[in-house]
Amino acid sequence: MAVAAVPTATPVGGDIPRGFTWAVRDCWTEASRHLRALPRNPEVLAFSTIQPVMFVLLFAYVFGGAINVPGYDDYLQFLLPGIFAQTVVFGSTFAAVGLAEDTTRGIADRLRSLPMFGPAVLIGRTFADLIRNVFTFVVMLVVAFLIGFRFEGSLAGALAASLLLLGFAYAFTWVNALLGVSVGSVEAANSASFIWIFPLTFVSSAFVDPRSMPSWLEPIARNNPFTIATNAVRALYNGRPPGADLWLAVAWAVGITVVFAVLASRRFTASTR
Amino acid sequence: MSITQLPSPAVAAVVAQGLTKRFGTTEALRGVDFEIERGKVLGLLGPNGAGKTTAVRILCTLLKPDAGRAFIDGIDVLADPRRARARIGLTGQFAAVEERLTGFENLQHVGRLFHLRTSEARRRARELLEQFDLVDAADRVARTYSGGMRRRLDIAMSLIGRPSVLFLDEPTTGLDPRSRLGMWDVIDELGRAGTTTLLTTQYLDEADRLADQIVVIDQGTAIARGTADELKRRVGGDLVDVVLADPADGRRAVELLTPRACGQGKVVLGTTTVTVPVDGFAGVVPAVVRDLDQAGIQVVDVGTRRSTLDDVFFALTGRPAQEADDEPSDDHPEAPTSAPETKVEAG
């Protein structure tokens, strides 16, 4: 492409701030958009509190008496860490729906036309989702305690388990962020996120011991990263050694976060649509 | 189409050169050029799918063209998108407001992302709420706003960083007639205040009313440009519409009336209406009626009017501007296809 003279800019306004501080500020500005809106959206709040409570009670009382798991006298101690894990991973789907909404309503276009740090839109979103998930998790933990769940190990172990849960859910928020910026509609985002989250969380050790599954399904369930995370969390809450599961789960969480954060950010900032 | 002309940065706030974009097999833009002088409003006028939004998206750094260049204030939007973004305000086809935030919060949010100081963002937000008549609604969440209010908030949000160029992509699409008029006043005011604006629209009256310069775009190509008056002059400034009793007389009526047409104007035949471009109305109506009467052609009605941009679009493309219209327009359905060769160069 032959370029003759490039016209010179007429100076209007100042330079565009670049660098780490501004990127962080942009992330926070975007996160605060969602955090500020959170208490105003009764449906989201209801979903974030009622559903987890319902899950805990339903699973505990419906399955509680019927299932025996080797190694656990009390099924609740086995089951509830699985429900915690499933609920926070379900909570990660908000990102897909929210980002699809931003895209279809033209908000994404507006943001992409601003002189801001582009990935801040996604980082802010995932951070706000993390905060909401913390809230959900605390509510769920309180209900679990009310029906008899206890930390059998150290408090530090329980804290580590809780952090692992939230970190693991955060990683999946990025998978959903990629879905949200890729699909064309809110409905599609909703089904696209649940279509893999259901098998991911059920073909796992969350509710039953994988050894009770058909032989072709068992290895899948056993190697499912969700199983690995659930096992690590369950061991920590019950004061048992998590073994390699702990580090494997952390590695999965970090790996998924890095890969999907890069993919989603690229997709969002690319000038291709 | 070759591009030899260089942009004139001293005057042009926006320069688009040979913009070309293809989506799959669809050629959305096939080498479109235009410039916007600082402080002027350019209307990009064309039917749905003409390529208007594609052009806006390229200029706003949201889309990379397959070929061509674009400059905002002399900044190459492809080479330095982030600097270009600091100069533009975009109001897209959907009112891009965050429904869960109040009007004030929406403005403040975009102000912060424009990296205004917090105090400056607040001050600008209040100023714009005032300017766009949203003070009373400032602390209500945008979900409760009417369509017209959302649109006004949307435009206010794109102005918060004091952009040098404002892009308005079909700002009145989907608005009820009253809100539409309100929006026209807003854009009019911005134009008078010297906001350089690129306005896309499929409404000819809108371009007529708001734009200093118009580029008519059809199937990815700029087919005409000039002021609204210049474009209207092209089809003859004044028109006589003759409604025939029997549509079968149409062709004969066109032949009879062609000598009455002025300049390069063409007599246009609709289902029952024959439109004659004339130079002034003096004596024309009786003459037209006499011509037809002598030939035994029965006339139901004769009317005179100033030509509209609809007439221009039809003269340029042989098609009415809004084919997608639900109601069948019996204005010019099966007119002679005089389309692409009427192409005119920059005015």
Side-chain angles (χ1 to χ4, degrees), chain A residues 254-273:
Chain A
V254 172
I256 292 171
T257 304
V258 169
V259 169
F260 283 89
V262 169
L263 290 176
S265 300
R266 274 206 193 151
R267 175 94 202 180
F268 183 76
T269 51
S271 312
T272 50
R273 279 171 298 159

Side-chain angles (χ1 to χ4, degrees), chain A residues 103-186:
Chain A
T103 306
T104 51
R105 286 191 190 154
I107 293 174
D109 276 353
R110 151 151 289 140
L111 295 171
R112 292 195 315 135
S113 75
L114 292 176
M116 64 181 287
F117 173 58
V121 176
L122 307 179
I123 298 170
R125 173 81 223 187
T126 54
F127 181 74
D129 281 337
L130 177 63
I131 300 295
R132 192 183 30 74
N133 239 343
V134 170
F135 174 75
T136 303
F137 176 68
V138 169
V139 170
M140 206 166 37
L141 206 56
V142 168
V143 175
F145 263 85
L146 289 178
I147 63 168
F149 178 72
R150 292 292 176 269
F151 296 153
E152 303 285 0
S154 65
L155 202 60
L159 192 67
S162 307
L163 289 178
L164 178 60
L165 271 178
L166 292 165
F168 197 71
Y170 183 75
F172 281 101
T173 308
W174 278 104
V175 180
N176 282 307
L178 177 63
L179 283 173
V181 298
S182 303
V183 300
S185 76
V186 175

